[in-house]
Amino acid sequence: MNIFVAKLSSRTKSEDLEQMFSEFGEVISAKVIMDRETGYSKRYGFVEMANDDEATAAIENLDDKEVDGSRIVVKKAHPREETGGRGGHRNRH
């Protein structure tokens, strides 16, 4: 299961997410999203866990928990909607 984690502290690192979620089961990957231009945390990330039951337990136990001074939001991630492009001009017929 892929899990979305938001409202992270700017101090929270990918390793911190992995450690936090591994208490509930096997973590396949954990990543805090960084701004490409500034190198600073965007204060959200994703964790992928191997077992759905363990992932559900992690969500239930970690949602609204205080981590590094921030109350985090943890929920099941949904696939991105395909929008057909990156904005810009639409074709006018």
Side-chain angles (χ1 to χ4, degrees), residues 1 3 21 24 49 51-63 74-76:
M1 180 186 295
I3 303 166
F21 281 82
F24 299 94
M49 295 187 71
N51 179 291
D52 284 357
D53 290 336
E54 294 169 350
T56 299
I59 291 168
E60 289 171 356
N61 284 279
L62 296 174
D63 186 43
V74 182
K75 58 187 177 182
K76 184 175 179 179

Side-chain angles (χ1 to χ4, degrees), residues 18-79:
E18 182 173 359
Q19 185 176 20
M20 210 177 354
F21 281 82
S22 67
E23 292 179 27
F24 299 94
E26 181 186 350
V27 173
I28 296 169
S29 66
K31 180 141 182 80
V32 172
I33 305 303
M34 306 300 279
D35 185 288
R36 271 188 283 228
E37 293 179 18
T38 66
Y40 292 116
S41 169
K42 287 195 170 190
R43 301 186 62 178
Y44 70 91
F46 295 93
V47 176
E48 187 177 354
M49 295 187 71
N51 179 291
D52 284 357
D53 290 336
E54 294 169 350
T56 299
I59 291 168
E60 289 171 356
N61 284 279
L62 296 174
D63 186 43
D64 203 36
K65 181 177 179 180
E66 190 170 311
V67 178
D68 288 331
S70 293
R71 201 162 281 286
I72 64 173
V73 173
V74 182
K75 58 187 177 182
K76 184 175 179 179
H78 297 286

